Amino acid sequence: MRTLSLLALLLIVGCDSAAPDATGSVYVANQGIFSDNSGSVSRYDPETGTATADLAPGLGGLVQSVETVGDRVFAFLNFSDSFGTGSGRIAEIDPATGTVIGEAEVGTPRAWAVVGGTAFVTNFYGASVTPVTLGGLAAGTPIPVGDNPEGIAAVGDRIYVANYSAGFDFGAGTTVSVVSASGRAVVETIDVGCDGPRFVFADGDGEVWVVCTGRTLYDANFNVVGQTNGDVVVLDGATGDEVARPGLPGQVGGGALGTDAAHSAARKEVYVSLGDRIQVFGTDSNAGRSAIAVDGPSVSAVAFDDADDRLYLGRVDADAPFSAPGTVTVHDRDGRQLAQFGAGVIPSAVAFGPAP
């Protein structure tokens, strides 16, 4: 989403240029328990291996995502007062004290794309994108898009928004709305020809990667009667024309509602969770590269840290996925596990940013 903020440079050995700073802290959005609005944000120090389970006690709501911009940390809260109202907000957290130092009300925020000093935030149950001025966390007039927008990415003035559903038929959407950042309106709607467009990334070549989850079909008694595979579609960011369709061999996800895909600018790769493995695509070749086997509890979040060249996987608890604290495992690019730390209930997104 970035939707997840993955903006640092990969350490290059044997180069004359200075090596980038290692990641200061890793921030984890934990959705929490749906019935009691117990979302939280965890923080992990990769240098010391220590973790803070609840950085900002009392946030409330369901924490859908976490983003960083420079030395600022933002939590995305859905249903900040109760599940029934659909009221939510973006909260800025002081990384040193864990206190909330600013808020903007944005319905049910899921992801954002930052253009200049404005963050364009998808509002899942509002069928809209809300511009938020980061300087003062002021929310502007929502821009109508398709149903249940989630992933979002910008190429120049064009902002690509994944419309995940058709009404409340989750995974039944097939379109991407293109919003003009300057005009604050939809200028094009693209049918990407796959079920459930949910994640969007802009690569270094000016192309847009759309990850579709696939769709599960139910009968009147909620029995599964069919499924469609996910898909990956690459668009020209300047025109919206299809460039490539690498495809996927199955449905995306398999754990819980979370972040099932990530982008690495340094590696020039996109990572997509298929439940038991992470499918890797090369953004330079617009093709699949490899698959990383995933052992252990179901994956609920995928992120790649360019600064430390590490893959982070959120994991739900194996026995009580929707009520017990989960974990995050840390891997090298080949999938070898290097570390693990505790998180909250349903770790749903991971971001990399400032130390306290």
Side-chain angles (χ1 to χ4, degrees):
M1 270 157 178
R2 191 131 158 164
T3 355
L4 296 171
S5 180
L6 308 173
L7 303 176
L9 294 176
L10 176 65
L11 176 62
I12 303 176
V13 179
C15 180
D16 292 334
S17 61
D21 292 336
T23 296
S25 290
V26 179
Y27 295 86
V28 182
N30 305 299
Q31 284 189 23
I33 301 173
F34 282 82
S35 60
D36 64 7
N37 300 294
S38 59
S40 64
V41 173
S42 302
R43 182 173 60 204
Y44 172 69
D45 183 338
E47 184 175 348
T48 64
T50 58
T52 302
D54 191 354
L55 175 62
L59 269 180
L62 303 177
V63 180
Q64 175 65 30
S65 189
V66 61
E67 295 280 3
T68 63
V69 176
D71 61 355
R72 303 173 71 184
V73 179
F74 301 87
F76 289 38
L77 292 99
N78 288 206
F79 314 115
S80 60
D81 48 9
S82 71
F83 184 83
T85 65
S87 175
R89 68 194 191 279
I90 291 174
E92 182 175 358
I93 300 170
D94 185 327
T97 65
T99 56
V100 174
I101 57 177
E103 294 184 322
E105 295 202 11
V106 191
T108 45
R110 289 299 178 107
W112 77 16
V114 178
V115 180
T118 301
F120 291 83
V121 184
T122 53
N123 180 6
F124 187 71
Y125 288 117
S128 62
V129 171
T130 301
V132 176
T133 302
L134 290 178
L137 278 189
T141 302
I143 304 163
V145 292
D147 288 335
N148 303 116
E150 291 215 54
I152 183 169
V155 176
D157 190 64
R158 291 168 64 90
I159 303 172
Y160 288 78
V161 182
N163 302 313
Y164 176 55
S165 304
F168 285 93
D169 189 354
F170 296 124
T174 62
T175 66
V176 170
S177 298
V178 183
V179 173
S180 166
S182 58
R184 304 287 173 93
V186 172
V187 295
E188 185 178 4
T189 300
I190 302 169
D191 192 323
V192 291
C194 52
D195 292 331
R198 189 161 176 246
F199 305 102
V200 187
F201 308 103
D203 68 18
D205 299 322
E207 294 175 339
V208 175
W209 286 65
V210 181
V211 179
C212 294
T213 63
R215 180 185 179 193
T216 300
L217 306 174
Y218 301 89
D219 63 17
N221 296 315
F222 296 100
N223 298 309
V224 176
V225 296
Q227 289 184 323
T228 61
N229 281 351
D231 206 350
V232 174
V233 183
V234 185
L235 306 177
D236 184 315
T239 65
D241 294 336
E242 183 175 323
V243 174
R245 189 175 290 263
L248 278 173
Q251 282 204 338
V252 175
L257 291 176
T259 308
D260 297 315
H263 171 235
S264 166
R267 280 276 187 177
K268 296 185 178 181
E269 291 181 333
V270 167
Y271 309 89
V272 180
S273 172
L274 296 178
D276 61 346
R277 63 198 184 280
I278 306 297
Q279 180 65 52
V280 183
F281 297 89
T283 61
D284 50 357
S285 62
N286 291 340
R289 283 187 175 170
S290 61
I292 302 172
V294 176
D295 297 323
S298 295
V299 173
S300 54
V302 180
F304 195 89
D305 181 11
D306 282 346
D308 286 339
D309 201 30
R310 295 289 182 262
L311 178 69
Y312 284 74
L313 302 178
R315 310 284 195 132
V316 297
D317 182 83
D319 297 320
F322 301 110
S323 59
T327 58
V328 176
T329 54
V330 186
H331 305 256
D332 66 16
R333 172 55 183 73
D334 295 321
R336 289 184 289 269
Q337 184 171 323
L338 306 175
Q340 176 175 312
F341 60 92
V345 177
I346 313 178
S348 57
V350 177
F352 310 100

